Amino acid sequence: MNDPSQNAILLIHCPDQHGLVAAISRFVSGNGGNIVDLDQHVDTEQGVFFMRLEWELASFTLPAAEIGPRFAAEVAKPLGITWRLHFSDERPRMAILVSRLSHCLYDLLARWHAGDLPVEIPLIVSNHETLRPVAERFGIDFHHTPVTPENKPEQEARQLALLADYGIEFAVLARYMQIVSGAFIAHYPERLINIHHSFLPAFAGARPYHAAHARGVKVIGATSHYVTEELDAGPIIAQDVVHVSHRDSVDDLIRKGRDLEQLVLARAVWHHVQRKTLVYGNRTVVFD
Amino acid sequence: MNDPSQNAILLIHCPDQHGLVAAISRFVSGNGGNIVDLDQHVDTEQGVFFMRLEWELASFTLPAAEIGPRFAAEVAKPLGITWRLHFSDERPRMAILVSRLSHCLYDLLARWHAGDLPVEIPLIVSNHETLRPVAERFGIDFHHTPVTPENKPEQEARQLALLADYGIEFAVLARYMQIVSGAFIAHYPERLINIHHSFLPAFAGARPYHAAHARGVKVIGATSHYVTEELDAGPIIAQDVVHVSHRDSVDDLIRKGRDLEQLVLARAVWHHVQRKTLVYGNRTVVFD
Amino acid sequence: MNDPSQNAILLIHCPDQHGLVAAISRFVSGNGGNIVDLDQHVDTEQGVFFMRLEWELASFTLPAAEIGPRFAAEVAKPLGITWRLHFSDERPRMAILVSRLSHCLYDLLARWHAGDLPVEIPLIVSNHETLRPVAERFGIDFHHTPVTPENKPEQEARQLALLADYGIEFAVLARYMQIVSGAFIAHYPERLINIHHSFLPAFAGARPYHAAHARGVKVIGATSHYVTEELDAGPIIAQDVVHVSHRDSVDDLIRKGRDLEQLVLARAVWHHVQRKTLVYGNRTVVFD
Amino acid sequence: MNDPSQNAILLIHCPDQHGLVAAISRFVSGNGGNIVDLDQHVDTEQGVFFMRLEWELASFTLPAAEIGPRFAAEVAKPLGITWRLHFSDERPRMAILVSRLSHCLYDLLARWHAGDLPVEIPLIVSNHETLRPVAERFGIDFHHTPVTPENKPEQEARQLALLADYGIEFAVLARYMQIVSGAFIAHYPERLINIHHSFLPAFAGARPYHAAHARGVKVIGATSHYVTEELDAGPIIAQDVVHVSHRDSVDDLIRKGRDLEQLVLARAVWHHVQRKTLVYGNRTVVFD
């Protein structure tokens, strides 16, 4: 029996071809599912089809456990579809990696605490002790993994072990300020979300606010993206900007930028958790 | 034979029910159509289903003239669907009603002239002679219908006759500054697009910038909406805002507002012409 | 002796007249002060002059305690100037009034904790017990004053006593959801900062997101203002908006609105604390 | 005798020092001038002081022709001030350089025609014949200077001769699509305003919308800047952005970008014409 309050969410991409929408929607309707949300996109240049389909399980005649196998056999395999199936009552387990800045951490914890972010947050990891009291305030385990150039492989191994121990599905780098290795990333492909404090691709790398001030820009931005091996070059999930002027010192840019950073990161995490993001090549489809 | 470069566009709304997407997409796929764009929305509160479907006619086996009747008989009637069919190569005939302010008029004409707005503009109507030279510059017929409280019924009759003579499908009130009567509106339901110079519902009616200044707001806006009998209360198509400060006098608000007005009006007209708007109750679905 | 790292801040308004800038700046320069920030505004319609002047005390020859009296005698009285003097190292004591929603409270506390908001926060007051644990997490006294229509005068008297006991300079209504009486406001003129969850003057009063959804707007907003007797009609300090669409349910508006609310409230509080706000009539001058 | 409706505008920058505001404002007040606008900025990092001062000449006791010499002798020389003097009734002569895209040209001409841009526009220059009809519509001389890699020095010489013949004070590159030489720029330092179709420094150079699409950004922008020898690296006057999504093809980015380009360019030109811009190093002070 399906939980009647539960929805199924199907994320799909495949080469574009005739009849995809009809075939996929027939699978849902034919088994008694009521579609409550359908987002679809075709990248006509590259000929790729994307879809996010959400339907009510209350009236669905297939048990939850059979949906995946049946969809695979009847639809996905014949049509060459890559897919992921989620359920609306999942609460993915999320870790937060931080350094010494607290604003993004507080913002995520406040959203989680208010019930606005349907995740579990069992683990905070940091290369500094600074934010341990924040973790303790929220009753979340805090582990200190002091990374240095010399011990990076060991510390990353410790971090990976922690993530595994806590059953972490995805991790958020909330101004973590450390470059994670390709080996680390390989364990969490499309499951590490970073916030960079500039409107990428401008001002990648260190000290973007100083660079923005030196260039005399009139807008500053923040960018949240999935982490890939190339620094600050992963698929962008969310970006936003704010106007600035000659009156803003570097410190003002940093202050105004903090508000952007926490907002943009929270939006990216929310879309990720709502299973509204799809990555292809170095780009994202973000349904909203 | 269908024009191979042409697409068909179907706009649909109906009571939400199981199997809609499957039934509609099967009609297209089953006749050889390749869906290039599908937007769908369900208003779960009111239980209304909306869809915009665009498909290539190159491979479609039904001739263009038969699509409507066949869709009506096979899909729309059985499922209680309200629909409109358009073709991507249509260039709807649009009139512009103006008063004395030129910025929105120039903006629309410049877009049309650059090929960015796929419409015909055979007619400009005004209650003043002021902008006749602008119409002449662009080689567009200009008719002066000087409305006064006394002669309004006659002048509106003249205007309606002009719109009919020129085969006008829809009209844009580009800072027309006159209230059009319910009788007039009844000839062009959901086909009169107005721009109001405030973020409605704030500051409806006359002199919104003066009212905004007096209230000391920190943002001003502009709103484009379909005209209905109640002043400035029709379904909103597009809105945008800009930040202002204590430094901005009423004249500054008017100047900054002009940029908003022409931008917001152009967006609304573009979405209307792209057949991306659906009206229900006093609200719109605007796909983008 | 002045603290050499300290600045003096003078906030001024008066009827506009010849020679004001010269007279005021001569007072500062003539006593050895180095102006580091000067903001000036003239409301030409109403003939009012506003200024915010910040200068370094390191080289200033007047002791801090004499600045006010000397400025009053030599400049303010002769020219009819209304003024306030502040010092950059003041940390005003701020209370937070809340109800059951935590997002604005968390946001303010996180900013305060990170050192981004130079205030003391000794007191949180609420008509519900809900957020006591948040106060406790941050080690801040929490007082429960359960207001009902019947006991409102007594509870407000208790609240005023608390504010007095804790030496509160100004208070923030962080989604407090209660209307405060004129008697209460009279104790804190221009020192009660509220956040309203709409772009005022649209959707004043209760349930603005429901009203915005019903009206079908394409932008929603938030407004922070000084509290006055007329509900949601006080001088606006900060406003911001976010785009929404037909896809957004009332719940989505509430979710997106929360981000706006905390951001706009934080900006208003920051400007207030930086002594960058001046109220006149029902409007504000907010230097930035 | 001064024209009583005229204002004087003084633009100033110099090393920061004690007493600047007092000395400068005393010059104005001491000669009977009523300051109507004063903007001041100190770059504390580099120790540079900037000011824009506007005062009414109606009551000013110095004749317009003597203001400059007297200010130089009494204030500027003793304090090492760099300055420019303007009068509010000047209508600077502006040329527009275009290529084949019409939107920025139309926008500037519409603003000029409506009286929103207080300039004379006697001359349009282009490397293509395409926009000659637009110039003719507005009764403006159009000169065709077909630049090729081979004839660039000669064509630029022709262009410079045209600018000189028409008494041009500054020129706007309204999507001119040609790189102007250092020799050309040297004739119009800080008087060539370009619009680049990206949020610089991201996507400098050719085809920025294609690059933005390939990178998968979620915002696109436009930047107006003074032209310097290094391509797209001059001092930024104005920038703005718009949100985009995966649904936007390159053509959509180009379409949305056009609106930004004309808006941002118009803002930059407006500020330049209002004498509200100051350049220092590679940055600008833009008072507003």
Side-chain angles (χ1 to χ4, degrees):
Chain A
M1 280 287 292
N2 295 316
D3 176 345
S5 69
Q6 210 184 22
N7 291 343
I9 299 163
L10 202 48
L11 284 166
I12 284 167
H13 66 103
C14 63
D16 194 23
Q17 55 198 288
H18 282 226
L20 277 169
V21 175
I24 296 162
S25 57
R26 197 165 45 219
F27 173 80
V28 174
S29 305
N31 290 300
N34 188 34
I35 296 172
V36 292
D37 208 20
L38 181 157
D39 284 297
Q40 175 258 16
H41 173 62
V42 178
D43 185 321
T44 49
E45 247 175 70
Q46 307 198 14
V48 187
F49 173 90
F50 303 88
M51 187 182 258
R52 182 186 185 278
L53 199 63
E54 182 168 349
W55 71 93
E56 297 172 350
L57 288 182
S59 58
F60 206 57
T61 53
L62 296 181
E66 280 184 35
I67 298 173
R70 290 282 291 273
F71 180 75
E74 296 173 18
V75 184
K77 259 179 219 157
L79 296 172
I81 291 172
T82 303
W83 58 279
R84 280 158 44 208
L85 179 69
H86 293 285
F87 296 98
S88 60
D89 62 353
E90 294 167 3
R91 289 177 66 87
R93 293 173 71 80
M94 161 178 141
I96 307 179
L97 278 68
V98 293
S99 188
R100 273 183 288 213
L101 291 168
S102 64
H103 59 290
C104 288
L105 176 62
Y106 264 127
D107 185 72
L108 289 169
L109 294 179
R111 288 168 193 272
W112 163 73
H113 186 252
D116 303 337
L117 205 55
V119 295
E120 306 292 341
I121 307 182
L123 173 65
I124 296 172
V125 174
S126 180
N127 55 331
H128 292 281
E129 283 284 359
T130 319
L131 299 180
R132 181 184 293 276
V134 179
E136 285 170 353
R137 266 177 203 180
F138 286 83
I140 298 172
D141 289 1
F142 180 94
H143 290 269
H144 181 210
T145 56
V147 177
T148 64
E150 292 72 35
N151 72 7
K152 189 161 177 171
E154 301 141 54
Q155 292 293 352
E156 284 202 342
R158 269 194 63 207
Q159 292 173 336
L160 284 170
L162 283 165
L163 295 174
D165 286 353
Y166 281 86
I168 296 303
E169 181 186 313
F170 75 103
V172 176
L173 283 61
R175 299 298 313 274
Y176 174 51
M177 312 291 272
Q178 291 286 321
I179 296 171
V180 292
S181 71
F184 190 103
I185 297 165
H187 284 83
Y188 291 90
E190 299 170 17
R191 288 187 286 145
L192 295 179
I193 299 174
N194 186 43
I195 179 71
H196 182 74
H197 38 320
S198 82
F199 53 92
L200 290 173
F203 309 124
R207 295 167 70 82
Y209 293 124
H210 291 78
H213 191 260
R215 178 63 187 89
V217 294
K218 302 299 186 189
V219 293
I220 58 167
T223 305
S224 187
H225 62 93
Y226 288 112
V227 179
T228 55
E229 276 216 51
E230 193 183 341
L231 182 65
D232 297 332
I236 294 171
I237 310 169
Q239 292 189 296
D240 214 339
V241 303
V242 68
H243 284 261
V244 296
S245 80
H246 62 271
R247 301 188 72 91
D248 291 298
S249 66
V250 171
D251 284 347
D252 291 322
L253 300 190
I254 290 170
R255 173 176 56 82
K256 294 185 174 181
R258 272 195 302 261
D259 288 350
L260 275 183
E261 293 160 23
Q262 66 186 56
L263 192 65
V264 168
L265 179 59
R267 278 187 201 151
V269 172
W270 190 86
H271 280 94
H272 179 86
V273 169
Q274 297 290 322
R275 319 299 189 181
K276 288 175 176 278
T277 61
L278 276 159
V279 177
Y280 72 115
N282 202 42
R283 309 173 61 200
T284 61
V285 168
V286 180
F287 293 120
D288 62 355
Chain B
M1 281 285 292
N2 294 316
D3 175 347
S5 69
Q6 210 185 21
N7 290 345
I9 299 163
L10 202 48
L11 283 166
I12 284 168
H13 67 104
C14 64
D16 195 23
Q17 54 199 290
H18 282 225
L20 277 171
V21 175
I24 296 162
S25 57
R26 198 167 44 220
F27 172 80
V28 174
S29 305
N31 290 300
N34 187 35
I35 296 172
V36 291
D37 207 20
L38 182 159
D39 285 296
Q40 176 258 16
H41 173 62
V42 178
D43 185 320
T44 50
E45 247 175 70
Q46 307 199 13
V48 187
F49 173 91
F50 302 88
M51 186 182 258
R52 182 186 184 280
L53 199 63
E54 183 168 347
W55 71 92
E56 297 171 349
L57 288 182
S59 59
F60 206 57
T61 53
L62 295 182
E66 279 183 37
I67 298 174
R70 290 281 293 272
F71 181 75
E74 296 172 19
V75 184
K77 260 180 216 155
L79 297 171
I81 291 172
T82 303
W83 59 279
R84 279 158 45 206
L85 179 69
H86 292 285
F87 295 97
S88 60
D89 62 353
E90 294 167 3
R91 289 177 67 87
R93 293 173 71 80
M94 161 179 142
I96 307 179
L97 279 67
V98 293
S99 190
R100 272 182 289 212
L101 292 169
S102 63
H103 58 291
C104 288
L105 176 62
Y106 264 127
D107 186 70
L108 289 170
L109 295 179
R111 288 167 194 273
W112 164 72
H113 185 254
D116 302 337
L117 205 56
V119 294
E120 306 292 340
I121 307 182
L123 173 66
I124 297 172
V125 173
S126 180
N127 56 331
H128 291 281
E129 283 285 358
T130 319
L131 299 180
R132 182 184 292 277
V134 179
E136 286 171 352
R137 267 178 202 179
F138 285 83
I140 298 172
D141 289 1
F142 179 94
H143 289 270
H144 181 211
T145 56
V147 177
T148 65
E150 293 71 35
N151 72 9
K152 189 161 176 172
E154 302 142 54
Q155 293 293 351
E156 284 202 341
R158 268 194 65 205
Q159 292 173 336
L160 284 170
L162 283 166
L163 295 175
D165 285 353
Y166 282 86
I168 296 303
E169 182 186 311
F170 75 103
V172 176
L173 283 61
R175 298 299 312 275
Y176 174 52
M177 312 289 273
Q178 291 286 320
I179 297 171
V180 292
S181 71
F184 189 102
I185 297 165
H187 284 81
Y188 290 90
E190 299 169 19
R191 288 187 287 147
L192 295 178
I193 299 174
N194 186 43
I195 179 71
H196 182 73
H197 38 319
S198 82
F199 53 93
L200 293 174
F203 309 124
R207 294 168 70 84
Y209 293 124
H210 291 78
H213 190 260
R215 179 62 188 90
V217 294
K218 302 299 186 188
V219 292
I220 57 167
T223 305
S224 186
H225 62 93
Y226 288 112
V227 179
T228 55
E229 276 216 49
E230 194 184 340
L231 183 64
D232 297 331
I236 294 171
I237 310 169
Q239 292 188 295
D240 214 338
V241 304
V242 68
H243 284 260
V244 297
S245 81
H246 62 271
R247 300 188 74 90
D248 291 299
S249 66
V250 172
D251 284 347
D252 291 321
L253 300 190
I254 290 171
R255 172 176 56 83
K256 293 184 174 181
R258 272 195 303 260
D259 288 350
L260 275 182
E261 293 160 23
Q262 65 186 56
L263 192 64
V264 169
L265 179 59
R267 277 187 202 151
V269 172
W270 189 86
H271 281 95
H272 179 85
V273 170
Q274 297 292 322
R275 317 300 189 179
K276 287 174 176 280
T277 62
L278 275 159
V279 177
Y280 72 115
N282 201 42
R283 308 173 62 200
T284 61
V285 169
V286 180
F287 294 119
D288 63 353
Chain C
M1 281 286 290
N2 296 316
D3 175 346
S5 70
Q6 210 184 22
N7 291 344
I9 299 163
L10 202 49
L11 283 166
I12 285 168
H13 66 105
C14 64
D16 194 24
Q17 55 198 288
H18 281 226
L20 277 170
V21 175
I24 296 162
S25 56
R26 197 165 44 219
F27 172 80
V28 174
S29 305
N31 290 301
N34 188 34
I35 296 172
V36 291
D37 207 21
L38 182 158
D39 284 296
Q40 175 257 16
H41 173 63
V42 178
D43 185 321
T44 50
E45 247 174 69
Q46 307 199 14
V48 187
F49 173 90
F50 303 88
M51 187 182 256
R52 183 187 185 277
L53 200 62
E54 183 167 349
W55 70 92
E56 296 172 349
L57 289 181
S59 59
F60 206 57
T61 53
L62 296 182
E66 280 185 36
I67 298 173
R70 291 280 292 272
F71 181 75
E74 297 173 18
V75 185
K77 259 180 217 156
L79 296 172
I81 291 173
T82 304
W83 59 279
R84 281 158 44 207
L85 179 69
H86 294 285
F87 296 98
S88 60
D89 63 353
E90 294 167 4
R91 289 177 66 88
R93 294 173 70 79
M94 161 178 141
I96 307 179
L97 279 68
V98 292
S99 189
R100 273 183 287 213
L101 291 168
S102 63
H103 58 291
C104 287
L105 176 61
Y106 264 127
D107 186 71
L108 289 169
L109 295 178
R111 289 168 193 272
W112 163 73
H113 186 253
D116 303 337
L117 205 55
V119 294
E120 306 292 341
I121 307 182
L123 173 65
I124 296 172
V125 174
S126 180
N127 56 332
H128 292 281
E129 283 284 0
T130 319
L131 299 180
R132 182 183 293 276
V134 179
E136 286 171 354
R137 265 176 205 182
F138 285 83
I140 298 172
D141 288 1
F142 179 95
H143 290 269
H144 181 210
T145 57
V147 178
T148 65
E150 292 71 35
N151 71 8
K152 189 161 177 172
E154 303 141 53
Q155 292 293 351
E156 285 202 341
R158 271 195 63 206
Q159 292 173 337
L160 284 170
L162 283 165
L163 295 174
D165 285 354
Y166 281 85
I168 296 302
E169 182 187 312
F170 75 103
V172 177
L173 283 61
R175 298 298 312 274
Y176 174 51
M177 312 291 272
Q178 291 286 321
I179 297 171
V180 293
S181 72
F184 190 104
I185 297 165
H187 284 81
Y188 290 90
E190 299 171 16
R191 288 187 286 146
L192 295 179
I193 298 174
N194 186 44
I195 179 71
H196 182 74
H197 38 320
S198 82
F199 53 93
L200 291 173
F203 310 124
R207 294 167 71 83
Y209 293 124
H210 291 77
H213 191 260
R215 179 62 187 90
V217 295
K218 303 299 185 188
V219 293
I220 57 168
T223 305
S224 187
H225 62 95
Y226 288 112
V227 180
T228 55
E229 276 218 51
E230 192 183 341
L231 181 66
D232 297 332
I236 294 170
I237 310 169
Q239 292 188 295
D240 214 339
V241 302
V242 69
H243 284 261
V244 297
S245 80
H246 62 272
R247 302 188 72 90
D248 291 298
S249 66
V250 171
D251 284 347
D252 290 322
L253 299 190
I254 290 170
R255 172 176 57 81
K256 293 185 174 181
R258 272 194 303 259
D259 289 350
L260 275 182
E261 293 160 23
Q262 65 187 56
L263 191 65
V264 168
L265 180 58
R267 279 187 199 150
V269 172
W270 190 85
H271 280 95
H272 179 86
V273 170
Q274 296 291 321
R275 317 302 188 179
K276 288 175 176 278
T277 62
L278 275 160
V279 177
Y280 72 114
N282 202 43
R283 307 173 61 199
T284 60
V285 168
V286 180
F287 293 120
D288 63 353
Chain D
M1 280 285 292
N2 294 316
D3 174 349
S5 69
Q6 210 184 21
N7 291 344
I9 299 163
L10 202 49
L11 284 167
I12 284 168
H13 66 105
C14 63
D16 195 24
Q17 54 199 289
H18 281 226
L20 278 171
V21 174
I24 297 163
S25 57
R26 197 167 44 220
F27 172 80
V28 174
S29 305
N31 290 300
N34 188 34
I35 295 173
V36 291
D37 208 20
L38 182 157
D39 285 295
Q40 175 258 16
H41 173 63
V42 178
D43 184 320
T44 50
E45 247 175 71
Q46 308 199 12
V48 187
F49 173 90
F50 303 88
M51 186 182 259
R52 182 187 184 279
L53 200 63
E54 181 168 349
W55 71 92
E56 297 171 349
L57 289 182
S59 59
F60 205 57
T61 53
L62 295 182
E66 279 184 35
I67 298 174
R70 290 282 292 273
F71 181 75
E74 297 172 19
V75 185
K77 259 179 218 157
L79 298 171
I81 291 173
T82 304
W83 59 278
R84 279 158 44 206
L85 179 69
H86 293 284
F87 296 98
S88 60
D89 62 352
E90 292 168 4
R91 289 178 66 88
R93 294 173 69 80
M94 161 179 141
I96 307 180
L97 279 67
V98 293
S99 188
R100 272 182 289 213
L101 291 168
S102 63
H103 58 290
C104 288
L105 176 62
Y106 264 128
D107 186 71
L108 289 169
L109 294 179
R111 289 168 192 272
W112 164 73
H113 186 253
D116 303 337
L117 204 56
V119 294
E120 306 292 339
I121 308 182
L123 173 65
I124 297 172
V125 173
S126 180
N127 56 332
H128 291 282
E129 284 284 359
T130 319
L131 299 180
R132 181 183 293 275
V134 179
E136 287 171 352
R137 266 178 203 180
F138 285 82
I140 298 172
D141 288 1
F142 179 94
H143 290 270
H144 181 210
T145 56
V147 176
T148 64
E150 292 72 35
N151 72 7
K152 190 162 177 173
E154 302 142 54
Q155 292 294 351
E156 286 202 340
R158 269 194 65 205
Q159 291 173 337
L160 285 170
L162 283 166
L163 295 174
D165 286 354
Y166 281 86
I168 297 302
E169 182 187 313
F170 75 103
V172 177
L173 283 61
R175 298 300 311 276
Y176 174 52
M177 313 290 271
Q178 291 286 320
I179 298 171
V180 292
S181 71
F184 189 104
I185 298 165
H187 283 82
Y188 290 91
E190 298 170 19
R191 288 188 286 146
L192 294 178
I193 299 174
N194 187 42
I195 179 71
H196 182 73
H197 38 319
S198 83
F199 52 92
L200 292 173
F203 309 124
R207 294 168 70 83
Y209 292 125
H210 291 78
H213 191 261
R215 179 62 188 90
V217 294
K218 303 298 187 188
V219 292
I220 57 168
T223 305
S224 186
H225 61 93
Y226 288 112
V227 179
T228 55
E229 276 217 51
E230 193 183 341
L231 182 65
D232 297 331
I236 293 171
I237 311 168
Q239 290 189 297
D240 213 337
V241 303
V242 68
H243 284 261
V244 296
S245 80
H246 62 270
R247 301 187 73 90
D248 290 299
S249 64
V250 171
D251 284 347
D252 291 322
L253 299 190
I254 290 171
R255 173 176 57 82
K256 293 184 174 181
R258 272 194 303 260
D259 288 351
L260 276 182
E261 293 160 23
Q262 65 185 57
L263 193 64
V264 169
L265 179 59
R267 279 187 201 150
V269 172
W270 190 86
H271 281 94
H272 179 87
V273 169
Q274 297 291 321
R275 317 300 188 179
K276 287 174 175 278
T277 62
L278 276 159
V279 177
Y280 72 115
N282 202 41
R283 308 174 61 200
T284 61
V285 169
V286 180
F287 294 119
D288 62 355

